Amino acid sequence: MEQFISVSGVKTRAITHGLGKQALTKESFGKKDIIIIIPGNPGLIGFYEVFMLKIFKTLMEKVNVLGISHAGHDVGEKNIYNAPRLRDRPELYTLHGQIQHKKDFLDEYIPHGSRICFIGHSIGSKVVVELMSHLDQTRPNDPKPCGYLLFPTIERMAETPQGQRLRMLLGPFRTPAVYASYMVYFLPEFVKNALVSWYISQPEKEDLISSVGQALKTVVNPNVLEKSLYMANDVLAVIRELDVKSLIRHGDRIRAYYGTNDHWCPVEYHTNIVQSVPGLKAELCKKGYAHAFVLKTSEEMAEQVCAWLQEDFSDLFS
């Protein structure tokens, strides 16, 4: 179910499975097992619709599965963009601002006593580690949260091949890129739909084409793209060395999944986390999934996540 909630003073898109038609509040949770999806960048939760539904169905609808978009990265109700302007609240759209946005979400909407498993994708993995620390500090008597980090961009992003390319774009070309997005945004719908279908090139995956297609069309909204590029520029500056201290603190509750040909987090970063954080379960993808798995292999990645859940939370499958 899609709904729009207020988080950090921003109307934020949420997708929930397990709450029926109830509004998202602390009181609406009948079950206290909750899986929370934290997106990458661009941070539109619509990219993860198929992924989330597959997890919910595989777990036989026993667990609440939900996720929210990053502040300013999505349109609001009736496809109207209503987030604060970048020049009015720039701090909201930095990585730190997005982390605070998710902390505010947990504090306001997630009930105490919940058993939470976070799933973070790309830069969402960094957010997840921070949220685990936040819950450990603010809810010491609750079950300890766990975190699954998918293709995690949690160290030295500016040094990666993609980071170096993006830094070139974000220098002199960030503003022109936003202006150029107007041309794509105002293309006829049938042209944009055709481009999405051609890119995904899997006509049998109608649900994926629909949800990802809508998200891709939203990304080229100039207001959304502006916030996404601003966050990307900040991330390149602040994601430096691996936060070993935090990872060691949570290590036995974290799984990390790295690609074998990922230009955002190279294989050497997998080697580094294995050597730096004893006990953390880090593995390399042997199935060839891309960093942006949501574009073509959402269901397949969901199956991998459910295999971990079955191992870590066997009671969910009984």
Side-chain angles (χ1 to χ4, degrees), residues 246-266:
S246 293
L247 290 170
I248 288 176
R249 188 183 310 126
H250 310 305
D252 62 340
R253 295 180 275 132
I254 288 179
R255 289 181 181 267
Y257 196 65
Y258 286 79
T260 53
N261 188 32
D262 189 339
H263 298 300
W264 284 112
C265 40

Side-chain angles (χ1 to χ4, degrees), residues 194-218:
L195 289 171
V196 169
S197 297
W198 168 80
Y199 178 75
I200 296 177
S201 64
Q202 298 180 74
E204 72 280 4
K205 295 188 175 183
E206 293 182 8
D207 291 343
L208 188 67
I209 291 174
S210 175
S211 60
V212 169
Q214 186 57 50
L216 286 171
K217 288 185 285 186
T218 302

Side-chain angles (χ1 to χ4, degrees), residues 22-94:
Q22 296 184 80
L24 179 56
T25 66
K26 284 184 177 180
E27 291 72 35
S28 60
F29 288 90
K31 301 180 286 289
K32 289 296 184 76
D33 290 321
I34 307 174
I35 295 173
I36 300 177
I37 314 299
I38 306 296
N41 183 18
L44 292 84
I45 198 60
F47 279 123
Y48 302 82
E49 282 193 58
V50 170
F51 176 71
M52 294 169 65
L53 184 59
K54 178 68 174 180
I55 293 173
F56 182 62
K57 293 293 187 181
T58 302
L59 295 179
M60 297 172 286
E61 304 185 6
K62 293 181 178 180
V63 178
N64 298 291
V65 180
L66 60 95
I68 63 171
S69 293
H70 290 326
H73 285 216
D74 216 332
V75 292
E77 295 166 281
K78 299 180 180 179
N79 213 34
I80 297 172
Y81 189 84
N82 54 13
R85 294 180 300 181
L86 177 60
R87 65 172 178 263
D88 293 336
R89 292 189 64 187
E91 75 287 348
L92 179 62
Y93 304 115
T94 62

Side-chain angles (χ1 to χ4, degrees), residues 26 106-107 110-113 134-142:
K26 284 184 177 180
L106 294 177
D107 294 344
I110 303 302
H112 284 259
H134 175 68
L135 289 183
D136 283 355
Q137 294 166 7
T138 60
R139 304 185 183 191
N141 297 322
D142 280 12

Side-chain angles (χ1 to χ4, degrees), residues 295-310:
L295 298 181
K296 296 188 178 183
T297 56
S298 281
E299 290 191 321
E300 294 84 347
M301 191 68 244
E303 290 171 356
Q304 177 63 68
V305 166
C306 286
W308 296 332
L309 288 167
Q310 187 166 17

Side-chain angles (χ1 to χ4, degrees), residues 193-242:
N193 291 337
L195 289 171
V196 169
S197 297
W198 168 80
Y199 178 75
I200 296 177
S201 64
Q202 298 180 74
E204 72 280 4
K205 295 188 175 183
E206 293 182 8
D207 291 343
L208 188 67
I209 291 174
S210 175
S211 60
V212 169
Q214 186 57 50
L216 286 171
K217 288 185 285 186
T218 302
V219 167
V220 296
N221 179 316
N223 293 299
V224 171
L225 184 63
E226 178 188 41
K227 311 302 190 304
S228 175
L229 293 179
Y230 185 80
M231 179 181 176
N233 190 53
D234 181 64
V235 162
L236 290 180
V238 301
I239 297 294
R240 298 180 182 256
E241 296 303 314
L242 193 66

